[in-house]
Amino acid sequence: MGLHLSQIDEADDLLTKDPLALLIGMVLDQQIPLERAFAAPHELTRRLGRPLDAEELAKYDPDVLGAIFSQVPALHRFPGSMAKRVQAMCQLIVDAYDGDAARVWTTAADGKELLKRVAALPGFGQQKAKIFVALLGKQLGVTPPGWQEASAPFGDEGTFRSIADITDVSTRDQVREYKKAMKAAAEG
């Protein structure tokens, strides 16, 4: 089973197979539609003309990378700041995980350590980190001991709270309805 976050087959295939692409999509998943955020790594790959590489992105000239993010259509509503955030995340992956994005989760001893590692990535707050841990567990089989507790409430089974629960268009719509209801209740 593959991810279905962008709703574009090629982009979702990249997210499923390339841990760095998935992390970049997650970083970009703010203040733009989730489909656009998770399609962006595929478009970035196309613009670069080669697969994503953390070491290469970390070393990129920041102005050039910003220009790549800014090409029409821009990869994000705030292409310059997001290019910097992606570059900072890639630098951390190079420094802490030898440039291998998957090592963020494949070498974590338990859910608590996994959550701490994800939360330390630039662009990941505590809630986004919990959602990402839930996504790893629910859809990619990354289930170190305690992953559900670490990702609570997003790791709960049978819910439609976040991208961790999106497996098709129908579940995407259910997640959107849940978020709309939560926003209305908060404003209420």
Side-chain angles (χ1 to χ4, degrees):
M1 183 170 115
L3 297 172
H4 298 282
L5 301 174
S6 75
Q7 306 296 311
I8 299 168
D9 291 342
E10 301 83 20
D12 285 333
D13 188 51
L14 179 66
L15 296 172
T16 302
K17 293 177 179 175
D18 184 342
L20 182 58
L22 183 58
L23 284 170
I24 290 172
M26 193 69 181
V27 167
L28 299 178
D29 186 25
Q30 60 182 30
Q31 300 182 336
I32 63 173
L34 73 96
E35 296 89 346
R36 186 170 162 210
F38 287 102
H42 183 263
E43 178 60 20
L44 179 58
T45 300
R46 190 192 66 72
R47 291 178 186 185
L48 294 171
R50 59 193 163 277
L52 299 171
D53 179 88
E55 192 167 341
E56 178 186 0
L57 289 169
K59 290 179 180 177
Y60 235 88
D61 178 300
D63 293 332
V64 174
L65 188 59
I68 291 169
F69 269 67
S70 298
Q71 288 174 16
V72 178
L75 296 182
H76 194 275
R77 183 175 166 199
F78 304 108
S81 63
M82 286 299 155
K84 289 177 184 170
R85 191 166 287 161
V86 165
Q87 192 164 37
M89 180 186 68
C90 287
Q91 187 62 59
L92 188 131
I93 290 169
V94 168
D95 294 343
Y97 303 102
D98 298 322
D100 182 356
R103 291 191 63 219
V104 173
W105 52 87
T106 59
T107 60
D110 57 33
K112 188 175 178 180
E113 181 182 352
L114 176 56
L115 180 63
K116 182 179 176 182
R117 288 175 174 202
V118 174
L121 295 171
F124 285 77
Q126 193 67 18
Q127 180 169 312
K128 186 180 269 199
K130 286 182 174 214
I131 291 168
F132 191 76
V133 170
L135 175 69
L136 291 171
K138 286 181 167 183
Q139 295 199 43
L140 296 176
V142 178
T143 57
W147 75 271
Q148 281 185 299
E149 295 81 1
S151 65
F154 303 102
D156 295 349
E157 291 299 322
T159 63
F160 299 99
R161 290 188 173 112
S162 73
I163 63 156
D165 303 305
I166 296 174
T167 56
D168 56 25
V169 173
S170 173
T171 53
R172 179 203 61 197
D173 293 345
Q174 288 177 285
V175 168
R176 284 201 169 124
E177 286 303 314
Y178 173 81
K179 288 183 175 191
K180 211 182 287 185
M182 292 294 97
K183 186 174 183 180
E187 292 172 354

